Amino acid sequence: MAHANSLFAACGTTIFETMSRLANTHGAVNLGQGFPEGLEPAALVERLAQADRAGPHQYPSMMGTPSLRQAVADHETRAWGLATRPEQVMVTSGATEALAACFFGLIEPGDEVVLIEPLYDSYLPIIRRAGGTPKLVRVEPPHWTLPREQLTAAFGPRTRLLVLNSPTNPCGKVYDADELAFIADLLDRHDCLAVCDEVYEHLTFDGRRHIPLASLPGMRARAVKIGSAGKIFSLTGWKVGWVVAETEVLAPIAKAHQFLTFTTPPSLQEAVAWGLEQQRDYLDGLAGVLQGRRDRLAAGLTAAGFRVLPTGGSYFLTADFAPLGFTGSDADFCRMITEKAGVAAIPVSAFYQGGAPAHYARFCFAKTDDAIDRAIERLQVLWLARPTKEALDGRGPL
Ligand code: PMP
Ligand code: GLN
């Protein structure tokens, strides 16, 4: 297209939109896109309605309303022991915008940015559009262990940033203290910042605790911490996020944010501020509820013939479908189960640049028990029929 930016023109439509559309077309149980069902806190939704009626309805400050900046600062202090002032907080329209503001605000053309695959799909296009050169290393299934040698080798004189997502989408890895100390040392040695995507900060299981990189010695000055009210309160459509960083690091990020969205609806900010202060029980209880749903889905998928990988955090689990005997790609598999079994999932290769393992599907377990049970019933059919590529092409039974 003559008038299009070539980088974006070359991108496909995001896999989450693609699979949700396909799920809708086929009336599938949507275990693909990461949005929760049946977990929305009613009191918070009511608080939004009140805030909407009360107003104001005009532009809030580009940095966020005073009440939300204060509430986020208090939350950082309370939840993670990261004493934070409101001036160190900037409100954004979701974590997606926070990430874009960080990349546009911090990257100079030619800078190198170290990232760890599998990774969330919005990172690379924006980093490239900002002029950055991605340097990719991988954590490998089934244990997703940090590849320390490769990570060390990925850092060089032009490295400007590391992007760290813990707990990780899609693989549910929760970085431990030792891995974070290793990363912190690299950042110090190379004088780099880290953009820390911590949207699943409260969703850790089996007694694990999320450790923000910013909580390690010396890392307050290097860590740019991103949060999402959508994830904290299971209200992903609200699109309220934030960046927490030292004021001098935040300043260039704010310069980018002012030209991206500038600000976020005031009633949403007001409601989220109230929620962070008043809905602490919800926030503390969510991981327990999701752990139960994770176990329900994992048991069902295992019974349906999948090899389920362990997941320590996030909304997602990864399952190997090779034991089902399916020989096509993960994209083929996810399309096939959406169309023929009526269950949508996300191909894990969508979280890689290329050369990804092609026999894993990501399932979201932040759904109702009923949705999980229906999905499992439908997937049992696959185990009984052992579908092949021929089934896909209509040359054999499902
Ligand atoms: N980062 C990760 C790792 C995610 O999974 C998501 C998706 N929800 C986001 C960022 C974006 O969050 P938000 O909806 O707040 O923009
Ligand atoms: N983060 C969500 C997921 O991984 C989706 C967000 C989106 O659709 N852009 O499924």
Side-chain angles (χ1 to χ4, degrees), residues 76 79-82 164 166 180 196 198 201 209-216 219 223 225:
E76 293 299 308
W80 312 121
L82 292 167
L164 186 67
S166 181
L180 293 170
C196 301
E198 301 185 15
E201 59 194 332
R209 192 167 155 75
H210 169 65
I211 307 172
L213 182 72
S215 66
L216 274 77
M219 286 299 110
K225 187 174 184 297

Side-chain angles (χ1 to χ4, degrees), residues 16 32-34 120 169 200 231 316 362:
F16 310 114
Q33 194 174 29
Y120 186 57
N169 179 7
Y200 301 105
K231 297 292 146 68
F316 310 111
R362 189 198 80 174

